[in-house]
Amino acid sequence: MFYNPYGDDLTVRVPVNTFYQYVNGSGRSFTMNSGEFMEYLGEQWNDRISSVRVAPRTLVVLYQRANFTGKKKILENLGDSPYLFNSIHTEGDANISSIKTYRLIR
């Protein structure tokens, strides 16, 4: 038997954040669950993120440099649906090398 700890609402899932190569959620992408951290994005994604779909009730902190250093940009979604943030880069560059995500409690 299938057990759902959230009751009869089968639409409840682990909050997933999607990071896209281009604006408007296009191009290649990768995902992180809310609550996960990434100290360094690796050569494939370092400085290449242009839009982010943030999961409901999630805070995403984007850092300019590896190990959560440098300038940071905060993306916050307090709503009940995912929200797409476009053109998240700073001063014309997609300067993102590390990421922290937090699941927000109501």
Side-chain angles (χ1 to χ4, degrees), residues 11-37:
T11 63
V12 176
R13 292 182 173 80
V14 173
V16 175
N17 305 282
T18 307
F19 301 83
Y20 298 95
Q21 180 181 14
Y22 301 124
V23 295
N24 298 321
S26 62
R28 295 181 329 181
S29 66
F30 72 94
T31 61
M32 290 175 66
N33 292 336
S34 296
E36 293 183 329
F37 297 174

Side-chain angles (χ1 to χ4, degrees), residues 2 7 12 15 17 19-20 31 47 52 54 62 69 81 83 93:
F2 178 79
V12 176
N17 305 282
F19 301 83
Y20 298 95
T31 61
D47 296 340
V52 179
V54 177
L62 308 170
T69 59
S81 298
Y83 185 84
D93 279 326

Side-chain angles (χ1 to χ4, degrees), residues 4 13 15-16 52 59 61 77 94 98:
N4 181 2
R13 292 182 173 80
V16 175
V52 179
L59 177 77
V61 184
N77 181 3
S98 56

Side-chain angles (χ1 to χ4, degrees), residues 48-77:
R48 290 188 173 93
I49 298 171
S50 294
S51 60
V52 179
R53 186 171 310 279
V54 177
R57 294 176 298 284
T58 297
L59 177 77
V60 174
V61 184
L62 308 170
Y63 293 88
Q64 181 184 25
R65 306 212 189 293
N67 299 312
F68 317 116
T69 59
K71 292 181 184 177
K72 61 184 170 182
K73 183 166 186 107
I74 296 173
L75 309 177
E76 182 179 47
N77 181 3

